[in-house]
Amino acid sequence: MKVLVHYGYVLAKPAILSVVSWIILCSCSCGGHLGSVPDFDEYSRYDLPQSKDGPRGSEINVTFLGTSTLLFDDGETQILVDAFVTRPGVLAVAFGRLQSDNALIEHIVRRKGINRLKAVFITHSHYDHALDAVAIIKAVEAIGSASTEPVILWGSESTRQIGLGGGMAEDHVQIFRPGVRIPVGHFEVTALPSKHSPPTFLFNDIGTVVEEPLSQPARFCEYSEGGTYDILIRHGKRSILVKPGANYVEDFLDGVEADILFLGIGRLGKQSAEFREAFYRHTVQAVEPKLVVPIHWDNFFKRLSGNLPPASRVSDSVPVALDFLRRSLEGDGIRLGMVRGLQTTALFGDDVP
């Protein structure tokens, strides 16, 4: 039996940890009595326009698939950052073993036209980022990709173990070399070492790794964090930074330039005002983007849809985070843009320069 030691407590996985996690996860369920759903309509004025067409000219289409899962498409090549669309419910996460929903994944692959996927980049190996990586790759290859080249899975050593446990060939699973550019079609992708959002007192696996091939079904706690990365995407003279977690490393992003920042705000509203200010200073003000798009704000125990609810008030304070972000961005003259579930938006076009 695997054992974690944190804060002086010894937690046997999966027995005690699952019970503790059940208490935590229940509080995140929008439908329960422990937390109400915050009003999200007031932020609709920041919604970015939806695109029903493929990218034109220098445009890059991005599709938001919930949490921090983002599909980028330049018309020739597609790349995916994180891979989580199954979104099992709270009971399944707390007490069950998780498995990718292959029928759902095949539906999404067909519906969103994911047929030119070349690479999947996992920011860290928690289940809400990595659960569906192998299943999506297999679905794309089974349905029929426009390319004969295999889809490559990129990530940490823990991500590598997830790929191998899912049956991927060893040379199709690659480990990040921080700071080294990875060419994928006209995209260049760089993994930047980062920091997971601050852990809760009862559950902290930051720094733990998946040590052997991990196959499904598996408990959520077997998807160890394994190290966290931000993903810098360059395409010609354009650049995009995906920062999945609401945390920072002081001065680390100084000198990193990005036109658009996809910014994780999960549990940012639960942190202190001083933390939020430091987070903003070392991310947004360091990168100086023209547009900031919040991600990882949704309740990921709810099914993927075009009307994703935000996390409940007990587990998070999404309005606090968004209000802070809105005020800060307005003060710096930076645009705030919102995307909804399954929405595709054309970046670097007339509407989203």
Side-chain angles (χ1 to χ4, degrees):
M1 179 177 291
K2 295 182 181 179
V3 173
L4 284 180
V5 179
H6 286 294
Y7 299 114
Y9 293 94
V10 178
L11 300 178
K13 296 169 64 177
I16 299 175
L17 186 55
S18 290
V19 175
V20 173
S21 299
W22 161 241
I23 299 171
I24 302 169
L25 297 175
C26 271
S27 69
C28 301
S29 176
C30 284
H33 297 290
L34 294 176
S36 58
V37 183
D39 183 10
F40 213 50
D41 292 339
E42 63 180 287
Y43 303 104
S44 62
R45 66 182 183 273
Y46 299 106
D47 286 354
L48 295 176
Q50 296 198 38
S51 175
K52 297 182 179 179
D53 303 316
R56 295 170 296 182
S58 61
E59 292 179 345
I60 296 174
N61 276 6
V62 61
T63 300
F64 179 53
L65 297 173
T67 57
S68 55
T69 301
L70 297 162
L71 176 71
F72 294 94
D73 184 352
D74 69 356
E76 296 181 12
T77 302
Q78 295 168 329
I79 60 174
L80 187 67
V81 175
D82 284 342
F84 180 62
V85 298
T86 294
R87 300 168 71 97
V90 62
L91 288 175
V93 173
F95 289 126
R97 294 180 180 273
L98 306 184
Q99 188 151 9
S100 294
D101 185 336
N102 292 319
L104 172 65
I105 289 169
E106 180 178 335
H107 171 74
I108 291 173
V109 166
R110 293 184 184 277
R111 175 179 174 181
K112 305 310 294 186
I114 308 177
N115 57 5
R116 287 170 280 107
L117 186 66
K118 296 290 183 66
V120 177
F121 299 91
I122 301 299
T123 60
H124 67 273
S125 295
H126 280 155
Y127 85 95
D128 58 317
H129 295 257
L131 179 71
D132 297 323
V134 175
I136 290 173
I137 290 172
K138 288 184 176 180
V140 170
E141 293 176 343
I143 292 171
S145 173
S147 172
T148 58
E149 299 176 0
V151 181
I152 304 300
L153 176 61
W154 288 87
S156 65
E157 173 62 30
S158 292
T159 298
R160 178 175 178 274
Q161 297 295 352
I162 292 171
L164 296 178
M168 293 186 66
E170 288 202 24
D171 58 341
H172 296 174
V173 186
Q174 299 293 322
I175 297 176
F176 287 142
R177 288 184 293 164
V180 176
R181 297 190 185 192
I182 303 167
V184 187
H186 294 293
F187 292 101
E188 282 189 336
V189 180
T190 307
L192 305 175
S194 189
K195 201 173 182 181
H196 192 276
S197 57
T200 62
F201 174 74
L202 290 174
F203 179 52
N204 175 13
D205 76 339
I206 307 306
T208 61
V209 299
V210 182
E211 297 178 343
E212 56 191 29
L214 178 61
S215 58
Q216 296 182 358
R219 296 185 186 275
F220 85 92
C221 51
E222 295 182 78
Y223 286 85
S224 299
E225 182 251 358
T228 294
Y229 296 87
D230 299 337
I231 302 297
L232 179 62
I233 302 169
R234 297 181 179 90
H235 193 282
K237 296 182 179 180
R238 311 287 193 176
S239 57
I240 300 165
L241 181 64
V242 180
K243 185 170 186 57
N247 211 337
Y248 61 93
V249 179
E250 289 190 11
D251 303 325
F252 193 79
L253 292 177
D254 290 355
V256 174
E257 297 179 353
D259 300 297
I260 299 174
L261 172 60
F262 287 88
L263 186 65
I265 62 168
R267 293 190 57 78
L268 180 62
K270 288 290 188 181
Q271 309 304 325
S272 67
E274 292 77 13
F275 180 94
R276 288 193 291 271
E277 292 287 351
F279 172 69
Y280 184 86
R281 183 170 63 254
H282 290 290
T283 56
V284 179
Q285 290 183 331
V287 173
E288 297 183 327
K290 299 179 180 69
L291 170 69
V292 173
V293 183
I295 55 174
H296 219 323
W297 48 261
D298 50 310
N299 185 326
F300 53 78
F301 299 113
K302 301 299 182 180
R303 300 289 285 180
L304 180 60
S305 71
N307 188 30
L308 291 175
S312 74
R313 295 185 188 276
V314 171
S315 66
D316 204 344
S317 296
V318 176
V320 172
L322 285 177
D323 286 346
F324 164 76
L325 196 57
R326 174 182 55 78
R327 292 192 305 270
S328 301
L329 293 174
E330 287 178 354
D332 287 336
I334 300 172
R335 181 180 178 183
L336 170 66
M338 299 295 296
V339 288
R340 305 302 174 124
L342 297 168
Q343 175 181 333
T344 298
T345 295
L347 307 176
F348 306 118
D350 294 334
D351 295 322
V352 187

